[in-house]
Amino acid sequence: MSSVRFTVTPTKAEDLPRLSDTSPDISSRPSARVRFGSRESVNRSDPLSEGSGGVTTTGGNDTPDRCSVDQGDGNSKISSVYINNSHGMDDDDFYDRNLALFEEEMDTRPKVSSLLNRLANYTNLTQGAKEHEEAESIGEKKKASKLPQMGTFMGVYLPCLQNIFGVILFLRLTWVVGTAGVLQALCIVFICCCCTLLTAISMSAIATNGVVPAGGSYFMISRSLGPEFGGAVGICFYLGTTFAGAMYILGAIEIFLIYIVPQAEIFTGEDAAMLNNMRVYGSICLLLMSLLVFVGVKYVNKLASIFLACVIVSIISIYVGALVSAFQEPPFPVCMLGNRTISGHLISDDSPCSKTIPVEMKDTAEIFDSNFTLGSENGTDGPSIVPTDAPVVVLKTTLLWREFCQSPELNATCDDYFSTNNFSRIKGIPGLASGIISENLWSSYISKGEVLEKRSLSSSDAAHPASATHPYVFADITTSFTLLVGIFFPSVTGIMAGSNRSGDLKDAQRSIPIGTILAILTTSVVYLSSVVLFGACIDGVVLRDKFGDSVKGKLVVATLAWPSHWVIVIGSFFSTCGAGLQSLTGAPRLLQAIAKDNIIPFLRVFGHGKANGEPTWALLLTALIAELGILIASLDLVAPILTMFFLMCYLFVNLACALQTLLRTPNWRPRFSYYHWALSFLGMTICLALMFISSWYYAIVAMVIAGMIYKYIEYHGAEKEWGDGIRGLSLSAARYALLRLEEGPPHTKNWRPQLLVLLKLDEDAHVKSPRLLTFASQLKAGKGLTIVGTVVPGNFLQTYGEALAAEQTLKHLMDKERVKGFVQCIVAQKAREGISHMIQSSGLGGMKPNTVVMGWPQAWRQSEDPQAWKTFINTVRVTTAAHLALLVPKNISLFPSNSEPSTEGYIDVWWIVHDGGMLMLLPFLLRQHKAWRKCRMRIFTVAQMEDNSIQMKKDLATFLYHLRIEAEVEVVEMHNSDISAYTYERTLMMEQRSQMLRQMRLSKSDREREAQLVKDRNSMLRLTSIGSDDDDDTDGGERERPVSSSSEHHRRVQMTWTKEKTAHYRATHSGCSTPEGFRDMLSIRPDHSNVRRMHTAVKLNEVIVNKSHDARLVLLNMPGPPKNPEGDENYMEFLEVLTEGLERVLLVRGGGSEVITIYS
């Protein structure tokens, strides 16, 4: 009696005797792992111990809670471990009397009351990089965690505000309004805010559909769309967060170098010098921030409230300043030459906005020695004067004169535009009541190097291109609507801050939707109102002045602030520093969460960190990537990069919600009910549109990165089951496709080999012919279905564990051979029945196998057990009856492996009879694989006496031409129809051997019956068993295993024998068991039909060996088995003779349908 020892290690909450206090999800873990041994004992650990997290078994000494297994009537009776007193507890105390019917399954199916009791504490999730299913280690006692107490306002609303408001609001929003105009700026802000609002609605639905641990958006996307999409989008979100840190640092350095301490510049000169300053100071700032994050996140969290206060105070200052401007205009004049804007850096009290300034001279003699003249302030010449002693008012040239003219002399040659236009002063901030908004409604896109102009001012017609040497305010970048979208969008990101803190919230499923949506509405109102206020208070040329050159280098938004512009300058600097710290804190944790999911193998190292869990290696990588962004040194170039990554993340959040809603998965039950799949699709469409609107080439790069990560994860096979929507989508798509396939039989053009590969396992559960699977993988150029099957002998209730082990063995072999397909293990008493059931039941709908691949029974002549070849012939008959094609590789061990280099040679096809065209199609499919790619194809056919071999060759060549198959054609003539003596002798030897083996088996059975009868005479019941099923045991797909005497006894047919019956049975079954019988056997004459069949096999074999002895593979038609089962052994002999002398042979038997056609 074979026995089994198995160890069950549950990794699923249902498998545990007690649910973990911190595991609310009992459906998202993989199934239990089962190991099989050779001792039949089941021992489970104490289910009542608090630390018990698994079930293990041992084969050692008996323990009080050891399970005893009794065999009887083919069924095992296991006494429950719980019905004993080993723990000093009555079983009625542990289980209710009313549940006695279920007590044997209580360890895997707990009571509802105990389940609810454990689920009541689901808020005790350990937050961090580990997901909730790994939050509690088995066997460890965790410290009591502090219950989360944060509400909606502190836990979600304020963090979202802090993350959404950022550097763009202070540094670029005024420039966006001035360039795009109020109307288009409102459109940009509205589109971006709609995108985040719709994403927040989708995110709220996902976040309220169960507990969301740390990882935030990454966790939601990966668990909703699967590991492939989750990993790809997770990496994109990580890169976006990292580049956001670089953008915030660049913004802080820009504020520092331009508006706070301009004297700190290391490099001076043109634009390149400013970029180098940004790189140097940005790298230093990044290093300091990374060190601060490395030292401790607690310091960053303590500073968060200060940074948030800076943001709020700055925004309030803007609103107050806008209101004050309606009554008192801030003193920020702007100097204009004609309609061109002049840099305010050259304007001072000593050098005002004019060409000349009046100076009072007491000594008129000095006039003739100086650069003075009489006349108007903007004039260039005046009347002559006579020297007198009275004071005279004269004009002196200004600093601006010297910038436009070749010398400070009044008669110097000046720029034409300077000469024909006068200077004027306009109000930089006319105020809320000035009506300036009418000028700022429309866009004013300009190219790089153009001068900022005010359309409402008059200008000389003699306008010439402005020189870069003149003190104008130039545009530093070519602007467009798409560019402004990409630059502005980062200012609306940060909506995931609330979902990232779900473990700190008192009621996450209520707080996340309310807090996030309120924060988005608040920021949207602020942005939209700011656009209107900026357009209504500030002049257009100042708005378009990105760096505030026209207002003497002040931050443009700060000119509107009240009471001082320093409020916003200092506040924006600290808020951008804080946002950079938050990004450098969050990005490494996101990378750590991805690494610990183990879906991207090369990122595993970043899952490790310090002893307290801080992601040290992830922080290092984040700093290096952020440094790349800082080396770009331009906030306007970095912003579109992170826009792409954030938009892709938001796109997949919307996709996940829409997918789950449309699939109507049973687990999709969000508490947040104000969502709809149409809103999610609209959000997804907006995200996709914004990606290509802002920068189509960045969008393509981001998609390529995400696609590469997706294929990498898919290629390496992320063995994760998260109950994601893509699996649900695959299920729905598979159902739809199967129903479509069921509408009718496939057309010949769509035929492809759907393989059912029959493998045989030995006693140690090892595959006997793994090269069969290799051959199947080489045929997979057709991209059809593959099912690998085996038969496990026995009773399903008793051998289910062995079937699971066999299934795992086949799966590992398929992974090794890189065969994509399915495994099917059938448990049956007889292998031939199991194979028949498998052929009948494999597949589903239109995806049923149409081709069976099975091995040749090696050494069948020497085997005492005839069941190997009997099962083989029975399988041939079953496939024929099922109208399936059959492929039988002979000498499969000599077939090339997938790793062997391709060698030149021939694939010879011996087309003897037409049975659907399989012989033509198979070589074509094999040659698609690298192992057969260099082989050429030859087709041989046989011509009889009455055939025209020349015409046959022409017709065959034409047929192959229409089939688009390149092959050499040869017609072999077989005119000699005389039966040779060798054929006759071979047939005689075959029949004599067959008869001899039959008699030997009868003699052996007779001896066994004699011994059994003698034994039965001494028994009282006089019962015996003769109709043994041994003759029906099989070998063609089963695993041999010894059968016990007790089970053999139950399987025998019990009969009562009398003396008369015994004598009659001996007389009728003795046969030729005597030496005389063997002498009669030697005098038999061979059957004529067998002689003819042997003649065909011999003659064909001679021709095939002569023509194809050097071929790498020979394919030939496989003749069908005889209708009379008594000739089965002769059929095997015919096949042996047909294939003698050939190294690699593939016997092919068509399924009766055409598989290849000449039509398009």
Side-chain angles (χ1 to χ4, degrees):
M1 176 72 71
S2 65
S3 61
V4 181
R5 174 177 66 86
F6 59 90
T7 299
V8 182
T9 306
T11 56
K12 202 173 181 182
E14 299 105 60
D15 296 333
L16 292 174
R18 286 192 59 177
L19 288 178
S20 168
D21 288 343
T22 60
S23 297
D25 189 351
I26 63 172
S27 62
S28 63
R29 296 177 177 85
S31 58
R33 302 184 297 274
V34 183
R35 297 195 304 272
F36 298 91
S38 58
R39 308 262 322 254
E40 188 165 28
S41 63
V42 182
N43 182 25
R44 303 180 189 273
S45 64
D46 181 6
L48 302 177
S49 61
E50 286 293 327
S52 177
V55 179
T56 58
T57 69
T58 61
N61 298 328
D62 291 345
T63 57
D65 52 356
R66 172 103 175 254
C67 288
S68 61
V69 181
D70 300 328
Q71 296 284 348
D73 297 331
N75 296 321
S76 61
K77 298 179 180 178
I78 305 178
S79 60
S80 174
V81 295
Y82 303 112
I83 307 179
N84 57 56
N85 296 321
S86 61
H87 300 293
M89 181 183 294
D90 196 310
D91 56 324
D92 288 340
D93 295 333
F94 192 81
Y95 295 116
D96 296 336
R97 291 179 182 273
N98 294 332
L99 298 180
L101 187 62
F102 304 96
E103 62 187 8
E104 291 189 355
E105 296 181 325
M106 280 292 183
D107 55 341
T108 58
R109 303 181 183 186
K111 292 190 298 181
V112 174
S113 59
S114 61
L115 175 65
L116 295 177
N117 185 36
R118 272 58 173 186
L119 291 181
N121 295 323
Y122 72 93
T123 54
N124 284 344
L125 281 172
T126 302
Q127 293 300 311
K130 292 186 178 180
E131 50 187 78
H132 66 287
E133 55 259 47
E134 297 174 354
E136 183 176 39
S137 299
I138 296 177
E140 291 185 14
K141 292 184 179 180
K142 298 290 183 182
K143 296 181 180 179
S145 58
K146 185 179 179 181
L147 290 176
Q149 297 295 333
M150 298 188 73
T152 303
F153 185 76
M154 294 297 296
V156 179
Y157 181 74
L158 290 182
C160 283
L161 281 185
Q162 182 181 358
N163 281 267
I164 295 175
F165 286 132
V167 65
I168 301 297
L169 171 63
F170 302 113
L171 292 184
R172 294 292 183 269
L173 186 56
T174 54
W175 175 68
V176 169
V177 174
T179 304
V182 173
L183 296 180
Q184 290 190 23
L186 287 174
C187 181
I188 292 173
V189 174
F190 182 75
I191 292 175
C192 295
C193 291
C194 282
C195 176
T196 55
L197 180 62
L198 294 173
T199 303
I201 292 174
S202 300
M203 184 195 70
S204 299
I206 298 174
T208 57
N209 189 50
V211 181
V212 179
S217 58
Y218 162 70
F219 185 91
M220 289 188 293
I221 295 171
S222 61
R223 270 52 176 183
S224 298
L225 293 179
E228 294 87 0
F229 277 110
V233 181
I235 291 296
C236 287
F237 189 56
Y238 163 74
L239 292 175
T241 307
T242 304
F243 276 103
M247 184 190 73
Y248 290 131
I249 292 174
L250 288 175
I253 299 303
E254 182 177 311
I255 295 171
F256 178 76
L257 286 180
I258 297 179
Y259 307 113
I260 298 179
V261 190
Q263 300 81 9
E265 291 184 354
I266 300 175
F267 304 95
T268 57
E270 301 299 329
D271 294 339
M274 184 61 189
L275 295 180
N276 290 331
N277 288 322
M278 299 282 284
R279 293 184 180 107
V280 173
Y281 281 101
S283 301
I284 295 173
C285 185
L286 174 63
L287 179 61
L288 296 176
M289 287 186 177
S290 301
L291 290 176
L292 180 59
V293 173
F294 176 77
V295 170
V297 182
K298 59 182 179 180
Y299 301 110
V300 178
N301 294 331
K302 288 179 180 179
L303 294 173
S305 57
I306 300 175
F307 297 143
L308 177 60
C310 292
V311 173
I312 295 175
V313 169
S314 300
I315 294 174
I316 293 175
S317 174
I318 294 173
Y319 280 98
V320 173
L323 294 176
V324 170
S325 69
F327 309 101
Q328 181 182 356
E329 300 169 3
F332 288 101
V334 177
C335 183
M336 307 292 295
L337 177 62
N339 63 354
R340 295 180 179 178
T341 309
I342 300 297
S343 174
H345 294 289
L346 299 177
I347 309 300
S348 64
D349 294 337
D350 296 332
S351 180
C353 179
S354 63
K355 295 181 180 179
T356 59
I357 55 175
V359 178
E360 195 174 279
M361 301 292 293
K362 293 181 180 181
D363 187 0
T364 55
E366 297 178 3
I367 297 175
F368 301 99
D369 299 327
S370 305
N371 300 321
F372 294 96
T373 185
L374 296 176
S376 62
E377 187 177 283
N378 281 312
T380 57
D381 53 29
S384 59
I385 61 171
V386 178
T388 64
D389 295 334
V392 178
V393 176
V394 295
L395 300 178
K396 181 180 180 181
T397 57
T398 61
L399 188 61
L400 292 176
W401 176 286
R402 297 163 191 166
E403 293 291 335
F404 286 96
C405 300
Q406 296 179 355
S407 70
E409 303 293 336
L410 289 172
N411 57 355
T413 303
C414 297
D415 180 71
D416 290 342
Y417 188 84
F418 176 81
S419 302
T420 56
N421 289 277
N422 294 323
F423 285 102
S424 62
R425 296 181 183 87
I426 63 172
K427 297 176 181 178
I429 303 179
L432 192 60
S434 63
I436 194 67
I437 191 172
S438 60
E439 293 184 15
N440 295 331
L441 284 177
W442 314 110
S443 62
S444 180
Y445 298 112
I446 56 178
S447 300
K448 182 179 180 180
E450 291 187 13
V451 180
L452 303 185
E453 297 180 352
K454 184 175 176 64
R455 297 172 184 169
S456 60
L457 292 180
S458 60
S459 176
S460 170
D461 295 335
H464 295 278
S467 172
T469 60
H470 295 158
Y472 294 121
V473 178
F474 295 96
D476 70 323
I477 189 172
T478 300
T479 54
S480 63
F481 181 83
T482 58
L483 175 74
L484 298 182
V485 171
I487 291 176
F488 175 76
F489 187 82
S491 64
V492 297
T493 60
I495 62 175
M496 303 292 183
S499 62
N500 290 343
R501 298 167 178 250
S502 60
D504 301 328
L505 301 175
K506 188 183 302 181
D507 186 359
Q509 297 193 0
R510 177 180 177 273
S511 297
I512 289 177
I514 296 175
T516 305
I517 293 175
L518 280 180
I520 291 175
L521 292 177
T522 302
T523 54
S524 300
V525 169
V526 170
Y527 284 134
L528 292 171
S529 61
S530 296
V531 169
V532 176
L533 288 177
F534 293 157
C537 297
I538 306 176
D539 194 274
V541 291
V542 180
L543 289 174
R544 291 190 293 276
D545 186 3
K546 184 189 295 184
F547 301 108
D549 290 329
S550 61
V551 288
K552 299 184 179 181
K554 290 183 174 59
L555 185 62
V556 174
V557 69
T559 59
L560 193 60
W562 183 88
S564 170
H565 74 280
W566 287 107
V567 174
I568 288 184
V569 172
I570 301 300
S572 60
F573 175 75
F574 282 112
S575 66
T576 50
C577 288
L581 281 173
Q582 292 289 343
S583 298
L584 291 179
T585 303
R589 278 153 183 76
L590 179 59
L591 180 61
Q592 187 181 45
I594 298 172
K596 287 195 173 183
D597 267 345
N598 201 22
I599 58 176
I600 304 178
F602 67 83
L603 292 181
R604 289 175 187 167
V605 64
F606 299 108
H608 307 293
K610 294 192 292 187
N612 60 354
E614 292 297 320
T616 307
W617 292 106
L619 175 62
L620 179 61
L621 179 64
T622 302
L624 292 176
I625 297 175
E627 177 64 20
L628 296 178
I630 288 174
L631 292 178
I632 296 175
S634 174
L635 188 144
D636 300 324
L637 297 180
V638 174
I641 297 176
L642 61 102
T643 295
M644 291 304 116
F645 292 129
F646 278 121
L647 278 171
M648 184 166 290
C649 177
Y650 296 165
L651 184 149
F652 281 102
V653 169
N654 286 294
L655 175 62
C657 180
L659 202 61
Q660 299 278 24
T661 306
L662 290 177
L663 290 177
R664 295 187 178 92
T665 52
N667 191 50
W668 181 247
R669 302 182 301 276
R671 288 188 178 276
F672 181 78
S673 57
Y674 302 101
Y675 70 94
H676 193 269
W677 64 266
L679 293 177
S680 299
F681 266 113
L682 179 60
M684 186 175 66
T685 305
I686 293 176
C687 289
L688 191 61
L690 287 176
M691 288 179 66
F692 284 93
I693 285 174
S694 59
S695 178
W696 63 268
Y697 45 89
Y698 276 159
I700 292 176
V701 170
M703 288 182 173
V704 167
I705 292 174
M708 291 172 61
I709 298 171
Y710 179 94
K711 296 304 293 184
Y712 177 81
I713 298 174
E714 183 183 52
Y715 176 76
H716 280 274
E719 297 179 358
K720 298 286 184 181
E721 178 54 65
W722 289 331
D724 49 86
I726 291 297
R727 299 293 174 92
L729 180 63
S730 301
L731 181 63
S732 298
R735 172 182 168 275
Y736 175 77
L738 286 173
L739 291 176
R740 286 290 303 274
L741 287 175
E742 196 70 7
E743 292 177 359
H747 192 273
T748 303
K749 291 187 292 185
N750 292 328
W751 192 95
R752 60 196 63 198
Q754 318 273 24
L755 302 181
L756 172 61
V757 185
L758 300 179
L759 295 180
K760 182 177 179 182
L761 304 182
D762 57 19
E763 296 178 357
D764 298 325
H766 295 148
V767 178
K768 282 192 171 182
S769 300
R771 204 52 78 82
L772 264 180
L773 203 56
T774 305
F775 174 72
S777 69
Q778 294 168 0
L779 272 176
K780 292 314 292 174
K783 303 295 183 185
L785 174 74
T786 300
I787 297 177
V788 180
T790 189
V791 177
V792 178
N795 183 284
F796 180 75
L797 297 178
Q798 298 174 353
T799 57
Y800 174 68
E802 295 187 19
L804 286 180
E807 186 175 335
Q808 291 299 320
T809 299
L810 295 181
K811 284 183 178 179
H812 291 153
L813 181 61
M814 291 176 69
D815 292 339
K816 181 180 178 182
E817 297 292 338
R818 294 184 178 177
V819 175
K820 299 292 185 182
F822 307 95
V823 172
Q824 185 169 5
C825 290
I826 297 292
V827 179
Q829 294 289 353
K830 303 173 185 176
R832 66 177 63 178
E833 292 180 0
I835 293 176
S836 176
H837 295 161
M838 190 181 301
I839 291 175
Q840 295 177 61
S841 61
S842 294
L844 183 64
M847 292 297 287
K848 285 183 174 291
N850 54 29
T851 306
V852 177
V853 180
M854 65 182 302
W856 175 264
Q858 300 292 339
W860 63 272
R861 288 171 173 163
Q862 290 77 23
S863 175
E864 294 184 0
D865 184 10
Q867 301 316 310
W869 55 267
K870 283 188 176 182
T871 301
F872 174 81
I873 297 175
N874 183 73
T875 305
V876 176
R877 288 194 173 101
V878 171
T879 55
T880 303
H883 300 288
L884 302 179
L886 178 65
L887 306 180
V888 181
K890 191 179 178 189
N891 301 326
I892 186 64
S893 60
L894 301 178
F895 277 57
S897 65
N898 290 330
S899 59
E900 291 184 19
S902 177
T903 57
E904 295 183 357
Y906 291 99
I907 298 178
D908 286 355
V909 176
W910 283 86
W911 193 18
I912 301 169
V913 294
H914 180 66
D915 54 359
M918 282 284 289
L919 286 170
M920 307 294 177
L921 186 60
L922 290 175
F924 170 77
L925 296 179
L926 283 174
R927 290 174 62 198
Q928 307 303 310
H929 194 272
K930 62 180 182 179
W932 304 94
R933 189 165 295 154
K934 294 183 179 179
C935 294
R936 289 182 292 172
M937 184 175 168
R938 294 188 300 191
I939 296 182
F940 299 89
T941 189
V942 176
Q944 303 298 328
M945 286 285 294
E946 63 275 11
D947 296 327
N948 185 343
S949 59
I950 298 176
Q951 187 62 37
M952 281 182 63
K953 185 172 183 179
K954 290 181 179 179
D955 293 343
L956 181 56
T958 304
F959 179 61
L960 291 177
Y961 174 78
H962 289 304
L963 287 177
R964 289 91 62 201
I965 292 178
E966 296 182 1
E968 300 176 15
V969 177
E970 186 171 344
V971 177
V972 178
E973 297 179 349
M974 294 182 62
H975 294 163
N976 186 10
S977 59
D978 296 335
I979 299 175
S980 64
Y982 171 77
T983 302
Y984 189 88
E985 191 71 23
R986 186 77 182 256
T987 308
L988 181 62
M989 290 174 58
M990 174 188 72
E991 293 190 354
Q992 288 178 348
R993 177 183 178 278
S994 202
Q995 184 72 7
M996 183 183 301
L997 290 175
R998 191 177 301 115
Q999 301 307 327
M1000 289 175 62
R1001 283 195 291 272
L1002 287 175
S1003 301
K1004 181 180 178 182
S1005 60
D1006 282 344
R1007 290 194 299 272
E1008 291 177 350
R1009 290 192 198 96
E1010 289 286 350
Q1012 186 66 38
L1013 288 173
V1014 171
K1015 180 180 179 182
D1016 289 343
R1017 290 192 194 99
N1018 300 326
S1019 64
M1020 295 180 62
L1021 299 176
R1022 301 181 63 80
L1023 297 175
T1024 188
S1025 170
I1026 61 168
S1028 174
D1029 284 343
D1030 284 347
D1031 289 343
D1032 290 331
D1033 287 346
T1034 52
D1035 192 58
E1038 86 281 8
R1039 180 143 56 100
E1040 301 95 337
R1041 74 177 212 179
V1043 182
S1044 65
S1045 60
S1046 61
S1047 60
E1048 180 70 21
H1049 176 72
H1050 287 294
R1051 289 168 54 194
R1052 293 181 183 275
V1053 180
Q1054 297 184 353
M1055 302 179 66
T1056 302
W1057 286 80
T1058 62
K1059 291 182 179 181
E1060 292 77 8
K1061 286 184 178 181
T1062 303
H1064 176 71
Y1065 186 83
R1066 286 179 177 176
T1068 56
H1069 288 77
S1070 59
C1072 300
S1073 58
T1074 61
E1076 290 79 6
F1078 283 104
R1079 281 191 228 103
D1080 294 340
M1081 180 189 66
L1082 296 176
S1083 62
I1084 63 174
R1085 295 175 61 84
D1087 184 75
H1088 182 64
S1089 62
N1090 287 339
V1091 173
R1092 288 191 299 106
R1093 291 187 177 90
M1094 181 63 74
H1095 172 70
T1096 302
V1098 170
K1099 296 300 293 182
L1100 278 176
N1101 178 257
E1102 288 177 358
V1103 174
I1104 294 172
V1105 171
N1106 181 39
K1107 297 287 185 180
S1108 303
H1109 62 277
D1110 58 344
R1112 292 199 67 205
L1113 180 63
V1114 176
L1115 288 82
L1116 70 154
N1117 292 108
M1118 180 180 183
K1123 296 181 179 179
N1124 184 5
E1126 292 182 358
D1128 286 354
E1129 193 167 3
N1130 297 336
Y1131 173 70
M1132 295 296 296
E1133 189 69 31
F1134 294 146
L1135 294 181
E1136 279 286 3
V1137 172
L1138 184 63
T1139 57
E1140 272 183 350
L1142 299 175
E1143 186 179 24
R1144 301 186 187 99
V1145 183
L1146 180 63
L1147 298 172
V1148 180
R1149 185 165 174 77
S1153 60
E1154 292 292 332
V1155 302
I1156 196 168
T1157 177
I1158 63 175
Y1159 300 104
S1160 61

